[in-house]
Amino acid sequence: DGGITQSPKYLFRKEGQNVTLSCEQNLNHDAMYWYRQDPGQGLRLIYYSQIVNDFQKGDIAEGYSVSREKKESFPLTVTSAQKNPTAFYLCASSTQGGDTEAFFGQGTRLTVV
Amino acid sequence: GESVGLHLPTLSVQEGDNSIINCAYSNSASDYFIWYKQESGKGPQFIIDIRSNMDKRQGQRVTVLLNKTVKHLSLQIAATQPGDSAVYFCAERRDKLVFGAGTILRVKS
């Protein structure tokens, strides 16, 4: 089945450690996005990529990094520079341009312990 | 725009009533708009979309209205059901997809 998959569903990190969240899609979408969601709040854009080997910062990119080496994959690394990383992270993909909706993964809940 | 530091507003409706959820968007150049529904602990799901050359679009039990003059979107849900309880977000798209603040819909039985 076509879709977008995030893993793991739950992730625990010690302070000072980098962690990488996986996002894979088999929808042949060019554009991919990472959002952060805090409890009771909306979605804030971290990074997005409209094409392989290219990506742009969103509204809250500090403390995060991404890569887009393959069309299917857009991993997000939460670095030790992110001071408050505990949150729900959502990945999405869509066709590049055009008027089609973005499809979301089921999210990764990251907790700093 | 941003929802940093804000908690989501709540709309409570009686089962069977109609619901209207509002959203203000930020970019007058946005040309495509989407409504999403998010249930607890899950990713957002597509409900309905509308292009900027339209002012109204209807789906099954849902209608989206777009007012470009005041940069306002609304989602109308007819005969609201308990399964409609969720958080609803609007999103605008230009070169990236940006979400509005969201509204919690609670349906009372």
Side-chain angles (χ1 to χ4, degrees), chain A residues 45-85:
Chain A
L45 183 63
I46 305 173
Y47 269 98
Y48 66 105
S49 169
Q50 294 177 312
I51 198 166
V52 174
N53 292 322
D54 187 45
F55 49 83
Q56 287 80 40
K57 293 182 179 180
D59 299 315
I60 55 164
E62 185 175 351
Y64 300 98
S65 65
V66 293
S67 62
R68 188 81 188 280
E69 297 176 1
K70 297 188 299 181
K71 188 175 187 178
E72 302 80 16
S73 179
F74 191 41
L76 173 74
T77 297
V78 184
T79 75
S80 57
Q82 170 50 238
K83 298 307 178 189
N84 185 21

Side-chain angles (χ1 to χ4, degrees), chain A residues 35 37 50 59 95 100 102, chain B residues 2 36 38 51 93 95 97:
Chain A
Y35 295 90
Q37 187 175 33
Q50 294 177 312
D59 299 315
T95 57
T100 59
Chain B
E2 286 273 347
Y36 284 93
Q38 186 181 27
R51 293 165 177 74
R93 181 169 172 178
D95 57 344
L97 191 62

Side-chain angles (χ1 to χ4, degrees), chain A residues 37 88 106 109, chain B residues 36-45 82-89:
Chain A
Q37 187 175 33
F88 189 48
Q106 289 303 296
R109 188 167 300 280
Chain B
Y36 284 93
K37 173 185 180 182
Q38 186 181 27
E39 297 176 330
S40 182
K42 297 183 179 180
Q45 292 180 293
D84 294 327
S85 293
V87 180
Y88 290 81
F89 294 98

Side-chain angles (χ1 to χ4, degrees), chain A residues 8-49:
Chain A
K9 187 168 183 176
Y10 299 96
L11 186 58
F12 297 89
R13 187 194 97 170
K14 292 182 179 179
E15 286 191 29
Q17 284 184 338
N18 293 355
V19 288
T20 298
L21 283 59
S22 170
C23 180
E24 303 278 332
Q25 54 95 3
N26 60 3
L27 299 167
N28 200 34
H29 285 165
D30 288 306
M32 297 187 75
Y33 306 83
W34 274 106
Y35 295 90
R36 170 182 172 138
Q37 187 175 33
D38 292 287
Q41 297 189 28
L43 281 69
R44 291 185 285 166
L45 183 63
I46 305 173
Y47 269 98
Y48 66 105
S49 169

Side-chain angles (χ1 to χ4, degrees), chain B:
Chain B
E2 286 273 347
S3 61
V4 177
L6 300 176
H7 286 272
L8 304 179
T10 300
L11 174 66
S12 293
V13 299
Q14 196 67 38
E15 181 179 359
D17 288 351
N18 296 336
S19 303
I20 300 176
I21 301 170
N22 296 304
C23 176
Y25 63 93
S26 58
N27 189 342
S28 58
S30 294
D31 54 7
Y32 178 62
F33 304 89
I34 312 167
W35 278 100
Y36 284 93
K37 173 185 180 182
Q38 186 181 27
E39 297 176 330
S40 182
K42 297 183 179 180
Q45 292 180 293
F46 171 84
I47 302 173
I48 192 168
D49 59 1
I50 188 167
R51 293 165 177 74
S52 59
N53 61 352
M54 304 169 69
D55 54 20
K56 180 180 180 179
R57 189 163 187 224
Q58 288 184 293
Q60 187 177 13
R61 277 203 311 121
V62 294
T63 301
V64 55
L65 299 177
L66 174 62
N67 185 331
K68 294 182 289 293
T69 303
V70 294
K71 293 190 288 185
H72 183 268
L73 274 171
S74 68
L75 176 71
Q76 301 177 1
I77 303 174
T80 312
Q81 302 168 1
D84 294 327
S85 293
V87 180
Y88 290 81
F89 294 98
C90 68
E92 58 182 301
R93 181 169 172 178
R94 182 66 176 168
D95 57 344
K96 57 186 178 181
L97 191 62
V98 177
F99 281 75
T103 297
I104 299 169
L105 177 64
R106 291 207 174 105
V107 181
K108 298 176 286 187
S109 298

